[in-house]
Every structure is written in structure tokens, then in C-alpha cells.
Amino acid sequence: MFFRRVLQAITIGACASLSLANPIDLNELGLQPEKRADPSLVGYLGAIFLGADPYVYFYLSNGNDPLSFKSLNGGQPILRPTKGTGGVRDPYLVQGGGAEAGKKWYIIGTDLNIASTTWDAAQRTGSRGIFVWDTSDLTTFSGERLVEVEDASAGMVWAPEAIWDAAKGQYLVHWASKFYAASDTAHTGSPSNIRIRYAYTSDFKTFSAPQTYIDYAPTNIIDLDILPLDTAGKSYLRFMKDETAKTVFLEYTTGGLFGTWTRAGGSSGTITSGVEGPAAYRDNKDDAKVHVLLDFYGGDGYRPYESTDPEANQWAASARTAFPSNLRHGSILPINQTLYDSLSAKWSS
């Protein structure tokens, strides 16, 4: 199977001397893709929002358990935006790449406070920018900014995420937008389907002109989440929501970010329905296991799923005995001991 072939191709000793937290790009070190069961990774950090509270909340794993999390900062937000709509949804922890690997991270998110608007208005005349914060240690944040990434024909920018593209030497940032005719400046007419767009950046301040990454018209696609399986930039899983059918499905590739993608489980394969906001991460201790959180937005928020054969679309609901309820669309970042300790020291409840 695809996932097992990827794991078999990984050099077992490649990460023995690594001290970085979940490095993305090791090409500059001359290494082959590292074995993912990395002893330097001792836990997981989640950046989440909580339904009616569109701010950034942190959750830290209880030890190296991928399914057991505790709130940090006494359950209060880590970040509250001061710009745009005053609300940030879908917070995403961006792992530094290239020269920034292990030295810098970013948090990006959707500029949307639904309490001050409607879903229709948010898709017609919503924000065309993304929130960005910088951090060198995941405990202090600076440089809050709201950066416009879409053109005037777009109705909104939703669920931005970013991944280091080693082949390009920049971050690929992607999001979901729908569009209106150039003559429809007020966006009162019928829009296009929602598609995934992307741009490149080196600093999350200046972005290239946006382009279309995924367009499955007439299907509306939102909430793209890409999970790298190697550091060579070839093998990936990508999860996304079919907004029309209200399902999340998975695609895989061995051809890079712009290679040929295959839908897991065939053309109609889905993980489950009534969900959105997939947040995927690999297990720190089990090379063969992938986790994905799926947001049951009409119910109790995130529920965890796991698989050792994702390309066959074989998923099972994980045990939830220590997994919090009512967490919404966010992201999970595997972390090393230094980061785990500093997060615990600053924000433990």
C-alpha cells in the first residue's frame, strides 16, 4: 500500500542526531527523509477555536499521548485579534521550513467573527485577508497583521494553512474562496463554486499573486489540510471537505504538491459525513499511524480518527476518554521536549 511503501523507503537512522521539532526540510543537511517515529518528539500542541469564541486557544497533550489533551492558560485564549473583524477562526500552526526550521513558527487564521455578520454576507463581502502572528518559541507572539491575499472578485478567504515547499524554497499558503463576476462589484449575483487557492510567501508579509490549486466544480471544496509523509517533498496526504455533500475525503500522491493526486477509497470514498475542519498529524511513536481530527460542527466539535492504511481509506474512531469536547477547527503540531517544557511552564492550568 502507498503509506507502507513510503515508510519502507524512509532511512531508519536519518533522524538519530536531530533536535528540531518535526522538521519539514532536511535537504540542506543532505539527509534522506527521516523516520517519523522521532525520539525527540515528546508531545503535541493544538491550536483551536471554540465555537462562539473566535480566538486562539492552546491545548497540550498529556505526555506523548496523541489522544489526550489539556487546556493551557486556564482555558483562556492565547491570542485575541485586534484587527479586522476582531475574530479568528481555524487557527493553523505553521512549522518553519528551510533556514527557519526549528527556529520560527507562525499562526495563521481566518478573519471572521460570525457574531457580527451572517454566513451569506461572510461569503459575499467577507475578509480577503488572513491573520498572521510570528513566534520563535510558541510562548510569545508578535507582529499581528491582517494580510490581504485575494483579489476583489473573491467573496472571502477561509481556513488558510501553509506548508514549506522545499522545491520552491518558500511557504505555499492555501485557502478557500468563491468568486463573483468582475462587473458584480457588490457581489450580489450568483457566485462560482468554492475552490482552493494558493500563493507563495517567504515571510507571511508579501505574497505572490493568488492562483487556483483545486477546482472540483460544481462541487464546493473547503478546509484543505496537507500532511507531508517525507522530507523530500514527494509524498503527501491531503484532506478536504466537500461542502456540497458535507463530507471529508482524502487524496494521496507521491508526485509532490503539484503531482497527480488519487482519491482514497475511490471516487466516492469519504471518511465520514457531517464534518469539517480536518486536522491531520502523524503519531510520534508509531510510524504506521496517522491521526485526523474531524469537526462535528453540529454536535460536540472535534472527534479523533486514526488509520494505518489511509490510502485504502481505512479509518476507525479513536478512543475519546481523555479527548476534550467542543473543540473546533484548528491544527495539531508534534513538539520536542524543549517546547513541551516551555509551554507547560508558561501556561499550565
Side-chain angles (χ1 to χ4, degrees):
M1 290 296 188
F2 165 78
F3 192 54
R4 294 193 179 98
R5 290 199 302 270
V6 170
L7 293 174
Q8 290 167 359
I10 290 174
T11 301
I12 293 178
C15 71
S17 63
L18 295 178
S19 61
L20 304 180
N22 193 22
I24 295 295
D25 178 24
L26 300 180
N27 291 338
E28 63 183 7
L29 302 180
L31 299 178
Q32 297 296 314
E34 82 276 17
K35 183 177 173 67
R36 187 57 181 76
D38 182 347
S40 74
L41 298 175
V42 301
Y44 307 83
L45 173 65
I48 310 289
F49 89 98
L50 303 180
D53 298 315
Y55 312 117
V56 180
Y57 294 79
F58 270 6
Y59 281 75
L60 185 66
S61 64
N62 291 300
N64 214 1
D65 188 335
L67 301 173
S68 177
F69 287 83
K70 58 188 175 185
S71 63
L72 295 183
N73 198 33
Q76 296 302 304
I78 297 298
L79 292 170
R80 294 176 183 262
T82 63
K83 304 180 185 299
T85 64
V88 58
R89 299 168 68 99
D90 323 318
Y92 187 79
L93 287 160
V94 182
Q95 171 74 49
E100 294 185 334
K103 301 176 182 177
K104 192 165 186 177
W105 296 261
Y106 302 89
I107 292 183
I108 63 177
T110 304
D111 175 25
L112 175 59
N113 182 359
I114 196 61
S116 64
T117 186
T118 66
W119 286 112
D120 182 67
Q123 296 177 66
R124 292 182 179 275
T125 57
S127 176
R128 301 198 307 272
I130 63 174
F131 274 118
V132 183
W133 288 268
D134 306 320
T135 178
S136 60
D137 56 11
L138 292 174
T139 62
T140 56
F141 300 87
S142 62
E144 179 193 346
R145 52 198 180 272
L146 182 58
V147 186
E148 189 170 293
V149 295
E150 264 297 358
D151 59 47
S153 62
M156 81 292 190
V157 167
W158 280 0
E161 295 193 8
I163 187 170
W164 178 254
D165 184 346
K168 184 80 171 179
Q170 292 184 298
Y171 298 94
L172 183 150
V173 186
H174 57 82
W175 61 87
S177 290
K178 63 170 57 175
F179 295 86
Y180 298 80
S183 59
D184 183 12
T185 56
H187 298 179
T188 58
S190 297
S192 69
N193 62 298
I194 307 177
R195 66 197 71 166
I196 302 298
R197 300 271 280 176
Y198 78 96
Y200 277 101
T201 185
S202 297
D203 55 11
F204 289 88
K205 296 176 181 177
T206 303
F207 292 76
S208 64
Q211 300 182 65
T212 297
Y213 187 38
I214 302 174
D215 186 355
Y216 287 160
T219 299
N220 294 307
I221 298 295
I222 66 172
D223 295 353
L224 174 65
D225 182 53
I226 301 175
L227 180 66
L229 297 181
D230 64 18
T231 56
K234 296 296 184 183
S235 300
Y236 298 91
L237 304 177
R238 69 183 187 188
F239 303 75
M240 65 195 86
K241 181 188 179 185
D242 178 337
E243 177 70 350
T244 305
K246 311 300 183 187
T247 60
V248 165
F249 65 94
L250 166 67
E251 296 179 336
Y252 59 89
T253 187
T254 56
L257 290 167
F258 292 89
T260 299
W261 293 82
T262 301
R263 184 157 173 166
S267 60
S268 61
T270 63
I271 299 176
T272 190
S273 60
V275 293
E276 62 184 17
Y281 53 105
R282 293 183 64 186
D283 194 284
N284 287 344
K285 298 180 290 184
D286 186 347
D287 273 325
K289 186 175 290 185
V290 170
H291 303 274
V292 64
L293 307 183
L294 299 176
D295 182 353
F296 284 75
Y297 54 93
D300 57 356
Y302 266 145
R303 300 179 195 174
Y305 286 73
E306 60 189 66
S307 177
T308 57
D309 197 1
E311 79 282 8
N313 205 41
Q314 299 297 312
W315 295 90
S318 308
R320 298 183 64 200
T321 53
F323 194 88
S325 297
N326 300 316
L327 308 188
R328 297 295 310 278
H329 189 166
S331 59
I332 302 292
L333 178 72
I335 55 175
N336 63 19
Q337 191 71 60
T338 298
L339 295 172
Y340 191 97
D341 290 347
S342 61
L343 286 159
S344 295
K346 182 166 184 177
W347 279 317
S348 285
S349 301

